Amino acid sequence: MTDMNMKSLEVLVVDDEPAIRQVLAAHLSRSGCSVCQAANATEALERLSKGDIDVAISDIKMPDFTGIELVRRARAAGIDTSFIMMTAFASVDTAIDAIKAGASDYMIKPVRNEEVLHRLMKVSDMRRLSSENKVLRNLVMGSREEMFAFASPAMRELERLIAKVAPTDSTVLVTGESGTGKGVIARQIHQNSQRAEGPFIPVNCGAIPENLMESELFGHVKGSFTGADKARKGLFLEADKGTIFLDEIGELPLALQVKLLHVIEEKTVRPVGSEQAKRADVRIVAATNRDLAQMVAEGKFREDLYFRLSVFHVHTPPLRERRQDIPGLVRFLLQRGAKRMNNRLSIVVDPDVEDILGAYDWPGNVREMENVVDRALILADEGRITTADLPPQIARSAPARGSIQVPASGDGLREQVRRFECAVIAKAISDADGDRRLAAQKLGIGLSSLYRKLEEFEALGLLQDGV
């Protein structure tokens, strides 16, 4: 068993013979375990009731009641400790009774130190696998995110940074406005790390009541406060060998900031009400939409914690600063939304809708866009999305094409508008060295809208050669 695994175990040795109990406890302590002792089953049950013992190594024959009865009472009380039983009176019936009661393993006295460590390692591995399976059943691994190929230089640089930091164990701070995809980035870091097979535990620090946050993060023992009717492992220990994602880290109270700093530095957590610290092999990715540096200056966030969290800092720019991503992102979300809704129709988006979505500022960023796309998919008739399927505040917004001064006299207003619009588009294409996609981005319109305009102008004979 590795030292790391040993240091993560809280072991209780139960035996009414002091010499055997003390020798075994001393050997386990030297091997790295955190060890406590009980001289009888009654004392052991009281210690187990706190809920922080991982493994109990217990004699079967004791003066008050047997070790097998101890297992039964512990299981009836909902105590999640694993038991390894010891007895000098070997019999098949005794072994069967111990296993039926809920024990994990069985040893014959006198026990050898190497055998104890071997059995302990087996039980520890069983507990780890059980914990991982529980995590898998509970959402934390989730499916791998479908990834979108970004067009903007800012997001391509962000992807490069993620690819660099993901394989390391560095703490990462992700900043950006609400809805920019900080959670997706955190999961992407985890999925491309050496911890990808371990749990990914997302925690919204702004959604947990302050009086419960310490218990949620670090766990508690039974009876440590009013309402603690059973022990709780805590999210940091749930994330052992994996990644914990602390979203909205700026909402963490100052008192808990001190405790989090200790966890980062010592790599241990101390459950509420426990005297023993437990090792937590966890990578931390934190995120916030607040200015932590400003909060440090105002005394609302600890400077030492800020520096610990921002060892590697990545910033997610808002959609309005990377409009090149909008058309492709809309298509990506449409395809993903249609798949999720089991919509087998071919989705067609009106050019006017593309123009509106491309020009909108998206104050809620990608999260808002996803909601708008899902709404449009629900309302669309025969798979065609029109302006009527957009939320009113977005449908009323006009594409940002800049200020255009329309001549007041001449060949007719409509004709003059067409000529002027054609000249503007032609100049944009020329400035972009013929790159029509780039020209469309600079004009704030969709590429399909640009081609539709060019076809219209060509039919009217307004286009010059080379456009």
Side-chain angles (χ1 to χ4, degrees), residues 400-447:
R401 293 193 177 108
S403 177
I404 298 179
Q405 302 296 323
V406 180
S409 62
D411 328 296
L413 185 59
R414 182 179 295 278
E415 181 67 18
Q416 290 191 57
V417 169
R418 281 175 175 163
R419 289 182 180 277
F420 185 76
E421 195 174 17
C422 180
V424 169
I425 289 175
K427 186 175 186 308
I429 293 173
S430 175
D431 290 345
D433 295 326
D435 187 335
R436 295 186 178 186
R437 181 181 295 275
L438 180 59
Q441 291 167 0
K442 290 183 175 181
L443 290 166
I445 64 176
L447 184 60

Side-chain angles (χ1 to χ4, degrees), residues 327-389:
L329 192 54
V330 168
R331 288 192 296 272
F332 173 79
L333 293 175
L334 280 169
Q335 292 168 3
R336 194 172 71 173
K339 182 179 179 181
R340 188 173 62 249
M341 297 178 187
N342 293 320
N343 186 341
R344 293 182 172 82
L345 293 174
S346 177
I347 305 300
V348 177
V349 181
D350 277 2
D352 288 345
V353 172
E354 288 186 351
D355 290 349
I356 292 171
L357 298 181
Y360 184 60
D361 272 347
W362 298 106
N365 293 293
V366 180
R367 187 180 298 128
E368 180 185 11
M369 179 183 284
E370 188 167 16
N371 292 337
V372 169
V373 165
D374 284 352
R375 180 185 192 274
L377 282 169
I378 292 169
L379 295 176
D381 290 328
E382 301 300 323
R384 187 177 189 86
I385 296 176
T386 69
T387 55
D389 303 319

